[in-house]
Amino acid sequence: MDVYQAIANRKTIRDFSQQEIPAGIIQKVLSAGLQAPSNDHLRQWEFILVQDRVQRELLVSKIRHPKDRKAATAVVNRWGLTIPSQRNVYIEAIPKQSQMLLDAAALVIPCFHAPGDLLHPDSLSALNSFASIWCCIENILIAAAAEGIFGVTRIPFEPERKHVRRILKLPDGYEFPCYLALGYPAENAQRLEQYPFSVAEKIHLDRW
């Protein structure tokens, strides 16, 4: 599969089958992540692979979210969202925030060296380490898609972030941007309609 096909095939999945991912494939897609551009040229990235069910349950115990579509719809209404495709994705996604992390064949916590106070940067360039770990994550998602594996990320709220750091014993100077769940899709997994876009309309020549 060429890179363009892998990018086109990549999709967000929140319903996973019970099929395990071979250890060699996990290493292969994480290795693809490590090929991403690094802000400091040192690739100070580490991956915590959380496979123990009890440990996962402990990690997600701080996640608070509506548990059904009715409650999720109320949240979306409160946010004032009106575009149907956007509303549908949130309504489908919100109730699955914990279960998708529990059910994924692989739960990866990508970590990166974050000098300074990430949540209170003094300049745009202070976010370079944060930007580069997302390049790493996107490489992982594309490489996984080339293997028929799909995933989903969840960015933690602050109480979750502190909880996960404590449980996983992240060292000072390291941070994690998201939970990264990977796995083979369940039979009922679907790719919801995305908001349409035109590449030509996204390109601005010389100025906006």
Side-chain angles (χ1 to χ4, degrees):
M1 181 182 298
D2 71 25
V3 66
Y4 292 101
Q5 186 178 357
I7 290 171
N9 285 355
R10 187 217 61 79
K11 54 186 174 182
T12 297
I13 287 295
R14 297 181 178 86
D15 299 293
F16 296 100
S17 74
Q18 296 183 353
Q19 182 180 351
E20 294 184 1
I21 302 175
I25 297 298
I26 293 176
Q27 289 190 13
K28 186 177 180 182
V29 299
L30 294 182
S31 177
L34 290 169
Q35 307 308 309
S38 168
N39 64 294
D40 60 5
H41 314 292
L42 295 176
R43 289 176 174 77
Q44 296 187 80
W45 305 325
E46 310 288 336
F47 307 107
I48 302 176
L49 185 60
V50 185
Q51 296 299 71
D52 180 75
R53 178 77 180 197
V54 174
Q55 183 80 321
R56 287 195 192 186
E57 290 175 348
L58 184 59
L59 287 183
V60 306
S61 63
K62 289 290 185 181
I63 296 177
R64 299 288 180 264
H65 59 90
K67 303 296 185 182
D68 56 44
R69 293 179 64 87
K70 181 178 179 181
T73 300
V75 170
V76 169
N77 290 340
R78 189 164 65 247
W79 289 347
L81 303 184
T82 59
I83 298 173
S85 60
Q86 184 187 35
R87 286 176 56 86
N88 291 340
V89 170
Y90 276 115
I91 291 169
E92 175 73 15
I94 289 172
K96 299 178 179 180
Q97 294 299 294
S98 295
Q99 201 62 45
M100 66 189 189
L101 303 181
L102 293 173
D103 292 345
L107 179 60
V108 180
I109 307 297
C111 304
F112 65 101
H113 185 251
D117 188 347
L118 179 67
L119 298 182
H120 299 90
D122 57 12
S123 66
L124 191 61
S125 62
L127 295 173
N128 283 349
S129 61
F130 183 66
S132 68
I133 188 63
W134 279 104
C135 294
C136 170
I137 292 165
E138 182 66 4
N139 269 21
I140 292 169
L141 289 170
I142 292 171
E147 302 289 342
I149 296 165
F150 303 103
V152 63
T153 60
R154 173 184 167 81
I155 298 174
F157 289 108
E158 188 60 11
E160 295 173 54
R161 185 184 74 88
K162 292 179 178 178
H163 173 72
V164 171
R165 283 187 55 85
R166 183 173 63 255
I167 296 302
L168 297 182
K169 303 185 185 304
L170 264 64
D172 291 341
Y174 275 82
E175 193 52 78
F176 78 102
C178 66
Y179 312 80
L180 173 58
L182 299 171
Y184 297 97
E187 288 188 8
N188 63 337
Q190 57 180 323
R191 185 176 194 178
L192 296 178
E193 178 186 356
Q194 300 292 302
Y195 188 73
F197 66 88
S198 164
V199 174
E201 292 176 359
K202 295 287 187 181
I203 298 173
H204 307 274
L205 185 59
D206 295 330
R207 64 182 60 82
W208 193 288

